[in-house]
Structure formats: structure tokens, C-alpha cells
Amino acid sequence: MPRAHNFAAGPAAIPLPALQQAREDIFDFGGSGVSPMELSHRGKEFEAIHQEAKSLLKELMALPEEFKILFLQGGASLQFGMVPMNFLAPEKSADYINTGTWSKKAIKEAKLFGKVNIAASSEETKFDRIPDLDSIRFDPGAVYVHITSNNTIEGSEYHKFPKTGGVPLVADMSSDILSRPLDVRPFGLIYAGAQKNLGPAGLALVLIREDFLAKANANLTTMLRYQVHVDEDSRYNTPPTWGVYMLRNVLRWVKTLGGLPAMEARNKKKADLLYKTIDESGGFYRGTVLKESRSLMNVPFRLPSEELEARFLTEAKKENLLQLKGHRSVGGIRASIYNALELESVEALCDFMNRFMGKAV
Ligand SMILES: *Cc1c(COP(=O)(O)O)cnc(C)c1O
């Protein structure tokens, strides 16, 4: 099967077994005579898919009972607004750590609903790091502390989380959810667009802790209340059924491979190989993030000139190494190496990088 090496940042590669399962089910889901896309969201077939996706998530992430799982729409971007809309008010304040483009978008939305304290930022150094967590002074009165656990565009990632003195963490984990084991207990809410590590675009995952949910504002439009989606088990209206079905397939694959410890080992192996290739290139390839803050998911790097970068991308494409262009806001090269990307794809990229350098210097 001619599958490309897909380094896309999102929508990103989906594990082949999850796609193969979809091919098997596409016209006839389990003898129902209809496609997963044609199932009623209130029928027993979809109910089984929905509950399996939830129970796999619960198992893989070791979610305690008090965490509710929601399947929503509107992407991570709607969560930028939905979080402060539910939890802030003009007299209330939240702490935000600014680590890149997506953090800034979250901050912009929060300011519409309440006070925002930028507890730490790495903007002065062009987002080349996660700020030193031990020197952050959090506001003890804050309703929550918002972080972006992995900065998809800049290529930095938290390798430990800040100690907030009991204030719930709220995290945008769009680009590193399920990539490693996680202790969810300090988090009041976690959200992620599905199109990086979970499945197709159109689905957003929200995990919310009951005691945090209890503090949400009630005077909001129905669709933007977390409580409504919790009460209706994500079926107040028609949920993104295809996205939930594909998520289930992806979660089955994660479980088959050995869960999150196996994902982490696999992701480390890929990232180590790629960073090693960059670091041992004698400065030809230059990483843009401090070593201790480097992401295991998105690896941005530069070449000696923009002209060489353009040539790199053209020649990479000829070898089926796709979607390596850095985000338009930062330029350069970016290899996204999420869960689904195989080690052999990173090996093919590193081999190409070494050959390209050999020709260029
Ligand atoms: C991709 C991404 C987003 C945006 O997600 P949408 O689903 O397109 O709204 C937000 N935050 C992070 C960290 C991302 O990687």
C-alpha cells in the first residue's frame, strides 16, 4: 500500500489499523447494514461505540471516577472561549502561561470574560522554551491556571507541570494528549482537538473534574455549558459520530500497542533519532528550542538559508516525505511526529537529511 511518510501538524497521520478497521466497516457496521456514519446517535450500535471510546480513554489515561469525558465540536479553538465563559467573570481572575501562538489565542478569548494574569511567558525569547516553573508566582485567588502542554507551532513541551498550590490546572493538550502517561489529578479540565493524536478533525475531547465543573456559570447559552454536555453524555445534540467512531479505532490501537507507556517509549525513540540527526549535523540543521524544553511531538528546525529550506522541502516531497514546511508564522522546517507516525518514517527522514546535507555542503 503506497502510504506516504506524513509529517503533517494537523490533521495528522492516523494509525493504519484504525483506517483499515474503518475500511472494513464503511458500508456495513457489524452487520447493521449501514455505515458508522449512518448510525443513529441514539441507537444501540452507536451507544456501544460511544461507551467503548469512553471506557478505553478511562482505562488508558487511568482517569479517576470524578473525571467526565465529553465529545464536542468546535475544535480546541472553541475551548479557548468556552473555558473562560464557564469559569470566569469580570471580578474573577485566571493565571495563564504564555508559551506560543495557541496560548496567545487562549489568552485573547479569556480577556473577554474576566481578569487574566500572565503568570509567565517566554515571548521575549521567541517562545524557545517553557518558562522556569519554580520561579512562577501563581495568584492563590485564581480560578484556574491555563497552560498549553505542547506548543505545536514553536516545538516546545512541558516535561513536568507547575505546582499551583491547589489551583486547578486547565490544559490545552491538543498536540500531545495520549503521547505519554499523565497524572490527571491536578487538572480541573483538559481539552484537545482530535486531529493530532486522537483521530479526524471535527471532534474535540474535553475531560472535566466534577468539583471544578460545579463552579461553572449557569447563565450561558445551552450549547456552551459543560454541565449540559455532562448531563446528556455528549448527546444534547448530534455529536460528531464519525469522529467518535474513529477515536474508538485509534484507542484500540493504542491499547494493542501497550497503552501510554508504550506510546511514550515509541515517541522518545523517534524524537531522539531526529534531534540526534539535527545536533550532529555540525550546525547545518539548527533546532529552535532549548534542549530541556524540546517537544516529542513537533520538531522545528532551520537550514543555513531559506533557499536551502525550499530545496529541502521540494526534494523531500519527491521521496514521499510530506508536510515538512514550518508553520507560516515561523518558517523553516517542522516535522510532526505524533503517536501514529512510525519509526521508519523518522528513519527515512533522517536518512534524507544526511544525504541532503552531504550534497549541500
Ligand atoms: C491545533 C491546535 C489548536 C487548534 O485546534 P482546532 O481544533 O483547529 O481549533 C489549538 N491548540 C493547540 C495546542 C493545537 O495544536
Side-chain angles (χ1 to χ4, degrees):
M1 195 183 302
R3 294 271 296 164
H5 302 292
N6 184 2
F7 295 92
I14 289 179
L16 188 57
L19 295 173
Q20 285 167 328
Q21 179 73 56
R23 181 176 64 180
E24 202 171 294
D25 293 339
I26 194 78
F27 297 119
D28 175 13
F29 177 76
S32 64
V34 303
S35 170
M37 279 182 272
E38 300 169 309
L39 291 169
S40 162
H41 61 294
R42 306 200 188 274
K44 70 172 182 351
E45 290 92 352
F46 184 74
E47 174 64 14
I49 293 169
H50 184 98
Q51 297 310 334
E52 185 183 345
K54 279 174 68 178
S55 74
L56 281 168
L57 265 174
K58 203 165 160 184
E59 177 187 343
L60 291 166
M61 294 188 74
L63 293 178
E65 211 44 62
E66 61 267 28
F67 279 81
K68 302 296 172 195
I69 300 170
L70 300 179
F71 301 134
L72 307 179
Q73 300 185 46
S77 297
L78 184 59
Q79 296 306 308
F80 295 161
M82 202 162 149
V83 165
M85 194 182 269
N86 275 264
F87 296 103
L88 281 185
E91 74 286 0
K92 289 184 184 169
S93 180
D95 283 345
Y96 275 71
I97 303 183
N98 180 14
T99 50
T101 313
W102 294 118
S103 303
K104 283 173 78 169
K105 291 199 168 173
I107 290 164
K108 177 170 172 250
E109 299 302 308
K111 283 180 174 168
L112 296 169
F113 299 98
K115 298 194 189 92
V116 171
N117 172 45
I118 307 299
S121 170
S122 54
E123 189 160 19
E124 317 83 79
T125 55
K126 293 192 174 150
F127 298 123
D128 65 345
R129 68 193 72 190
I130 300 300
D132 172 32
L133 299 179
D134 298 326
S135 64
I136 301 176
R137 285 218 210 111
F138 292 103
D139 170 7
V143 181
Y144 59 83
V145 175
H146 183 283
I147 62 167
T148 313
S149 58
N150 182 72
N151 297 281
T152 324
I153 293 172
E154 294 81 4
S156 67
E157 187 175 19
Y158 286 74
H159 296 296
K160 59 180 180 144
F161 294 108
K163 300 257 180 294
T164 60
V167 176
L169 279 167
V170 170
D172 176 0
M173 293 198 182
S174 294
S175 52
D176 69 346
I177 193 153
L178 294 189
S179 67
R180 53 183 174 173
L182 170 75
D183 176 6
V184 296
R185 287 169 304 175
F187 295 86
L189 190 151
I190 291 169
Y191 62 90
Q195 66 274 23
K196 281 86 185 224
N197 257 345
L198 299 175
L203 168 70
L205 172 69
V206 172
L207 308 173
I208 187 164
R209 211 176 65 201
E210 269 172 343
D211 63 328
F212 188 60
L213 174 63
K215 295 185 212 143
N217 300 322
N219 58 336
L220 301 172
T221 187
T222 311
M223 275 293 284
L224 297 181
R225 292 184 62 201
Y226 291 111
Q227 186 69 57
V228 168
H229 297 292
V230 168
D231 292 345
E232 302 290 337
D233 198 7
S234 302
R235 278 155 299 175
Y236 169 72
N237 72 327
T238 318
T241 53
W242 176 253
V244 175
Y245 162 78
M246 283 303 297
L247 170 65
R248 183 208 69 164
N249 291 357
V250 170
L251 295 173
R252 280 183 175 180
W253 171 82
V254 173
K255 184 173 171 174
T256 305
L257 259 61
L260 302 194
M263 285 297 124
E264 182 177 45
R266 184 182 150 92
N267 290 328
K268 276 194 169 148
K269 215 166 169 182
K270 290 181 286 179
D272 284 350
L273 179 60
L274 185 46
Y275 284 121
K276 188 166 173 269
T277 304
I278 292 168
D279 293 340
E280 292 180 355
S281 70
F284 183 79
Y285 299 112
R286 270 179 305 112
T288 51
V289 171
L290 297 193
K291 281 188 184 168
E292 60 272 21
S293 296
R294 281 172 164 178
S295 167
L296 296 187
M297 298 280 99
N298 309 95
V299 181
F301 58 92
R302 303 301 309 238
L303 272 67
S305 70
E306 286 186 12
E307 189 234 310
L308 275 171
E309 286 170 351
R311 211 157 86 209
F312 180 95
L313 292 170
T314 309
E315 292 189 20
K317 199 169 173 188
K318 286 186 200 145
E319 299 196 17
N320 245 345
L321 300 158
L322 306 187
Q323 304 266 20
L324 284 162
K325 198 172 164 60
H327 190 269
R328 60 191 187 279
S329 63
V330 294
I333 312 293
R334 170 177 55 172
S336 296
I337 54 174
Y338 299 121
N339 281 0
L341 192 90
E342 297 293 338
L343 177 63
E344 65 188 41
S345 292
V346 175
E347 286 169 346
L349 173 61
C350 292
D351 176 58
F352 169 76
M353 286 168 71
N354 287 329
R355 281 185 283 112
F356 185 86
M357 179 171 75
K359 277 191 298 181
V361 294

